[in-house]
């Protein structure tokens, strides 16, 4: 970080000189042709958009020679916007992308490596939490995050009370979760959910809950060390974990993906008793009209293996950005990843600091809301996606085949693994 800190100090001194100059001759600063404009793209997540706007305003005050133009797009349109912009030769200078997209964007030649002169690989490794390491590709880091995410279990204390459960005793094991969820689930006479005990899903955090939590708790390493091989069905325990996960909705009927528009909306509406979600959901959930709590993810049996899934949205400079725009982009990135900015990000967005030093802060570790997420980072695993969209859709389609078409569990599981392996083979065979 020495170079980054040196860059920030230089920016600070430079900004003082620039402000001093502008006070001497305000006319000279108007229409300053030396201002470098850069563009920053992200998907529309209201709290993040508001926070980025605030950061940009602060940055521009300190760096009047740089103007940052931020744009955001709905999540389901975001990548298509990027692809179209690249095709048209009008790509943004900085892209905020999901860690699961990094490999694809490197493969498509959309983003450039972080320059050693800006921040060396050693500095990146020293500064950031370990979950960043899997995305050192061919000896290069391509992105720098502000924050990271892990998962935890939210529970609705009011629904616990109504069901006769102790509202201060969330489940510690998956079996307890299933039993508590059954107590809270209410169905109509024709078999539809009025309330679900657990916001079961495959499209949201559910697939991560299966890949990086349940599989590992059943003793299955999800991928080979280099992430090229899908190992889900290498052991019988993989099939067992898949059945256990699916049975929550198929057999125990404690929740369904179709309750509410999303599992989180169902929870916010007070019709889902528990959900697995990230700390970024705290911003919405803290405004809920009911009493709630958050705790670490369940284990198979008390004292059993704890596991979690970690992810992050991260910032990349687009391929082809050079000269003054590259310098301005690096100066903005240096500002964006500062620890003070990360602290504000936690407070206003709810995502955890990506700095190794900040995440070890005792006050944060003991925070009743964020503490379970921090604890989860200790045993979290970041999935190395080669094409997150395709892999996610393969799982969703397979799960729907079982849910809606009564397909065979084991055969469908093998099909899912085969299709995801094909996606990975296509990527790794080009390396």
């Amino acid at each position: 970080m020495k170079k980054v800190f040196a860059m920030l100090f230089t920016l600070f001194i430079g900004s003082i000189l620039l402000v001093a100059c502008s006070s001497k001759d305000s006319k000279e600063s108007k229409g300053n042709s030396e201002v470098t404009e850069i563009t920053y793209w992200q998907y529309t997540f209201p709290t993040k958009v508001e926070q980025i706007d605030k950061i940009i305003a602060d940055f521009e005050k300190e760096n009047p020679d740089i103007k940052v133009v931020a744009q955001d797009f709905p999540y389901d349109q975001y990548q298509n916007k990027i692809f179209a912009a690249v095709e048209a030769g009008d790509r943004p200078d900085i892209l905020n992308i999901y860690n699961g997209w990094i490999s694809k964007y490197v493969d498509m030649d959309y983003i450039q490596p972080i320059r050693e002169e800006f921040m060396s690989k050693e500095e990146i490794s020293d500064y950031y939490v370990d979950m960043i390491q899997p995305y050192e590709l061919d000896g290069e880091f391509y992105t720098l995050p502000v924050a990271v995410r892990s998962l935890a279990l939210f529970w609705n204390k009011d629904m616990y009370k109504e069901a006769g459960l102790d509202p201060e005793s969330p489940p510690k094991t998956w079996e307890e979760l299933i039993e508590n969820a059954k107590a809270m689930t209410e169905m109509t006479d024709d078999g539809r959910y009025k309330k679900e005990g657990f916001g079961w899903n495959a499209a949201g955090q559910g697939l991560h809950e299966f890949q990086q939590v349940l599989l590992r708790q059943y003793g299955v390493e999800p991928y080979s060390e280099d992430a090229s091989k899908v190992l889900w069905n290498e052991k019988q325990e993989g099939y067992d974990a898949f059945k256990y996960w699916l049975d929550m909705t198929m057999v125990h009927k404690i929740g369904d993906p179709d309750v509410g528009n999303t599992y989180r909306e169902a929870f916010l509406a007070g019709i889902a008793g528990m959900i697995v979600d990230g700390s970024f959901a705290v911003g919405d959930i803290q405004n809920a009209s009911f009493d709630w709590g958050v705790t670490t993810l369940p284990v198979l049996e008390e004292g059993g293996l704890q596991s979690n899934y970690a992810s992050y949205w991260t910032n990349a400079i687009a391929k082809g950005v050079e000269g003054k725009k590259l310098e301005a982009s690096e100066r903005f990135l240096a500002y964006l990843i500062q620890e003070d900015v990360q602290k504000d990000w936690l407070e206003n967005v709810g995502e955890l600091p990506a700095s190794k030093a900040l995440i070890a802060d005792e006050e944060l570790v003991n925070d009743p809301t964020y503490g379970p997420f921090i604890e989860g980072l200790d045993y979290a695993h970041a999935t190395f996606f080669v094409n997150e969209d395709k892999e996610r859709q393969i799982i969703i389609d397979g799960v729907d085949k079982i849910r809606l078409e009564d397909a065979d569990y084991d055969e469908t599981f093998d099909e899912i693994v085969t299709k995801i392996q094909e996606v990975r083979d296509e990527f790794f065979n080009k390396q």
Side-chain angles (χ1 to χ4, degrees):
M1 282 297 285
K2 289 177 183 175
K3 298 188 192 85
V4 175
F5 290 146
M7 179 179 286
L8 288 169
F9 180 74
T10 302
L11 293 178
F12 176 68
I13 296 299
S15 65
I16 291 175
L17 293 173
L18 281 166
V19 170
C21 289
S22 63
S23 65
K24 282 183 179 178
D25 187 351
S26 60
K27 289 182 180 177
E28 189 175 314
S29 66
K30 290 178 179 176
N32 189 344
S33 61
E34 294 302 316
V35 171
T36 301
E37 182 174 299
I38 57 173
T39 49
Y40 180 91
W41 278 20
Q42 62 185 324
Y43 87 96
T44 307
F45 191 97
T47 54
K48 291 174 71 171
V49 171
E50 288 175 18
Q51 188 65 13
I52 281 290
D53 287 346
K54 177 180 177 299
I55 292 168
I56 289 173
D58 293 342
F59 172 77
E60 289 181 342
K61 281 181 188 171
E62 297 182 20
N63 301 274
D65 59 326
I66 298 174
K67 179 175 177 56
V68 184
V69 178
Q71 284 185 271
D72 59 278
F73 305 91
Y75 180 82
D76 58 354
Q77 300 172 20
Y78 183 41
Q79 289 202 82
N80 287 335
K81 291 285 185 184
I82 293 172
F83 300 156
V86 172
E87 189 70 25
D90 190 27
R91 67 181 72 184
D93 298 304
I94 304 176
L95 304 87
N96 185 249
I97 61 175
Y98 181 55
N99 70 288
W101 303 348
I102 297 173
S103 308
K104 180 173 69 176
Y105 280 49
V106 170
D107 193 43
M108 295 169 81
D109 213 20
Y110 278 17
I111 56 180
Q112 58 178 288
I114 300 298
R115 295 189 313 127
E116 282 280 318
E117 296 82 355
F118 170 47
M119 194 171 184
S120 72
K121 291 188 281 291
E122 290 73 22
E123 288 169 333
I124 292 172
S125 297
D126 288 345
Y127 184 61
Y128 281 117
V129 292
D130 293 342
M131 61 181 287
I132 309 300
Q133 293 300 323
Y135 284 96
E136 182 180 353
L137 306 173
D138 297 328
E140 303 277 8
F141 285 102
Y142 286 79
T143 71
L144 299 174
V146 177
V148 295
R149 307 161 149 191
S150 65
L151 301 177
L153 181 76
F154 292 87
W155 82 99
N156 180 327
K157 295 185 179 182
D158 290 355
M159 282 184 66
Y160 259 63
K161 286 179 194 171
E162 290 167 11
L165 301 168
D166 181 351
E168 301 305 327
S169 295
K172 294 179 180 175
T173 66
W174 290 108
E175 282 302 301
E176 288 176 4
L177 180 143
I178 291 170
E179 292 307 312
N180 291 356
K182 283 180 179 176
M184 290 186 282
T185 299
E186 296 178 18
M187 310 287 277
T188 61
D189 292 340
D190 58 359
R192 288 179 292 119
Y193 283 90
K194 289 171 66 179
K195 290 184 178 180
E196 60 180 358
F198 181 54
W200 193 95
N201 67 87
Q205 303 304 329
L207 70 92
H208 306 305
E209 175 191 313
F210 167 68
Q211 285 188 73
Q212 293 294 3
V213 181
L214 278 171
L215 274 176
R216 289 181 183 277
Q217 290 177 343
Y218 267 82
V220 178
E221 190 76 22
Y223 301 98
S224 59
E225 192 172 343
D226 64 358
S228 66
K229 299 297 179 189
V230 185
L231 306 177
W232 301 2
N233 59 353
E234 288 286 302
K235 298 178 179 178
Q236 177 59 42
E237 287 82 354
Y239 295 91
D240 295 342
F242 186 65
K243 184 174 187 307
Y244 189 81
W245 180 51
L246 262 294
D247 277 354
M248 290 184 190
T249 183
M250 298 294 293
V251 175
H252 301 299
K253 298 190 181 304
I254 59 173
D256 186 276
D258 298 327
V259 177
N261 289 326
T262 66
Y263 62 96
R264 191 183 305 154
E265 288 187 25
F267 186 75
L268 288 168
I271 56 172
M274 296 175 282
I275 58 168
V276 170
D277 213 338
S279 58
F280 46 88
V282 170
D284 289 332
I285 293 174
Q286 66 187 358
N287 297 318
S289 59
F290 51 82
D291 196 11
W292 57 276
V294 59
T295 187
T296 51
L297 295 184
V299 292
L300 273 185
E301 54 189 10
E302 288 216 42
L305 178 73
Q306 291 180 296
S307 191
N308 205 307
Y309 168 70
S311 63
Y312 55 95
W313 283 79
T314 186
N315 304 289
I317 298 176
K319 193 72 175 283
V321 176
E322 56 188 11
K324 286 189 173 182
K325 279 185 176 287
L326 177 58
E327 180 192 341
S329 297
E330 288 180 342
R331 284 167 62 183
F332 182 59
L333 271 190
Y335 189 91
L336 196 56
I337 64 173
Q338 291 180 89
E339 290 192 344
D340 284 347
V341 171
Q342 293 186 35
K343 288 178 184 174
D344 286 346
W345 194 273
L346 171 67
E347 186 174 333
N348 298 321
V349 179
E351 292 181 325
L352 309 172
S355 153
K356 197 178 287 183
L358 278 183
I359 210 70
D361 181 86
E362 281 297 314
E363 186 177 348
L364 191 55
V365 169
N366 295 319
D367 185 277
T369 298
Y370 293 111
F373 295 99
I374 302 284
E375 182 181 333
L377 281 178
D378 286 343
Y379 41 81
H381 304 271
T383 303
F384 181 89
F385 290 104
V386 302
N387 190 321
E388 191 261 351
D389 302 329
K390 279 188 182 177
E391 294 179 54
R392 176 186 292 269
Q393 196 58 53
I394 288 167
I395 296 170
I396 293 170
D397 290 346
V399 165
D400 281 349
K401 198 172 169 184
I402 294 171
R403 286 178 54 238
L404 307 175
E405 300 172 24
D406 202 24
D408 182 81
Y409 277 39
D410 289 356
E411 287 179 9
T412 306
F413 188 49
D414 287 338
E415 287 174 8
I416 290 172
V417 173
T418 298
K419 288 179 180 176
I420 293 179
Q421 185 62 61
E422 288 171 356
V423 173
R424 291 187 175 241
D425 287 345
E426 183 181 348
F427 174 81
F428 282 102
N429 289 340
K430 287 191 289 187
Q431 303 306 303

